[in-house]
Amino acid sequence: MFCNSDEETIFHVLVGCHFAQSCWHRSGVGLHFSAESTFADWFKAFLSGGRVALVDELLMVAWGIWKARNELLWQGHSSQAADVVRVARSCHSSWLLAQENKFEPLLFDATVVGSSVCWVRPPPGKLKINTDGAIFEATAQYGTGMVIRDCQGKLIEASSSLHSGACQPAVAEVLSVKEALNWLSRRICPMG
């Protein structure tokens, strides 16, 4: 999809395409392949090469390449190889931090958790957007997220993003609302 010069197979998109190769060269994985013709064969050859410590990065970069391919195909948004690798590493780093349980457990007010407060469907023909912001003080990052559902509770759109920089919780919440409004403006006025 990136180069339009070869048949779009999983191997071509994730390994053989010039864009994918550029991503691999920028990552710690590098690019080593010979006669492999499928992604599974390439991945098995990588594992047999004794580079197991880099498997997480390989998988995250492959995910990043696929994500960039879909953004180009469905949203017309092109990415730079350096950005693909940076986002893949950032997501991987966030995942590793979450696995280390560095964050304090969430404390819930038992009276709220046990109450009947829950998501309420919008009226027929309407959408409901829920947003949330989060701060990660340990890594000086913040996240935004949104979920859009219809009157049946069917998921229309969901997104989340991680950003570098420290901010107050209220600012992260406002930025989540801003992301949701940007989504709406792109859908209502796609050319403007």
Side-chain angles (χ1 to χ4, degrees), residues 27-125:
S27 76
V29 175
L31 183 68
H32 306 284
F33 68 97
S34 54
E36 294 90 3
S37 59
T38 68
F39 182 76
D41 290 342
W42 181 74
F43 185 67
K44 286 176 193 173
F46 179 85
L47 290 176
S48 68
R51 301 174 67 201
V52 177
L54 292 173
V55 168
D56 287 352
E57 181 154 350
L58 180 144
L59 294 173
M60 290 305 298
V61 171
W63 166 81
I65 294 168
W66 191 257
K67 181 177 178 291
R69 174 249 185 220
N70 285 340
E71 287 176 352
L72 178 63
L73 182 64
W74 302 111
Q75 298 170 354
H77 177 269
S78 62
S79 301
Q80 299 294 318
D83 293 331
V84 168
V85 173
R86 182 185 50 77
V87 168
R89 285 179 175 163
S90 176
C91 288
H92 182 242
S93 176
S94 296
W95 181 81
L96 288 173
L97 283 173
Q99 302 313 303
E100 292 175 8
N101 296 320
K102 285 191 172 185
F103 303 107
E104 294 182 23
L106 297 174
L107 301 175
F108 295 103
D109 182 346
T111 59
V112 173
V113 173
S115 74
S116 62
V117 175
C118 61
W119 185 79
V120 177
R121 296 174 190 226

Side-chain angles (χ1 to χ4, degrees), residues 125-175:
K126 303 287 183 183
L127 299 176
K128 186 170 208 174
I129 302 176
N130 297 99
T131 63
D132 195 18
I135 58 168
F136 307 101
E137 291 177 350
T139 58
Q141 294 176 307
Y142 65 94
T144 61
M146 70 168 187
V147 176
I148 304 170
R149 293 177 279 192
D150 67 10
C151 64
Q152 301 300 315
K154 179 182 168 197
L155 180 67
I156 303 299
E157 179 92 10
S159 72
S160 64
S161 57
L162 183 66
H163 308 275
S164 296
C167 72
Q168 296 297 315
V171 174
E173 296 287 345
V174 169
L175 291 171

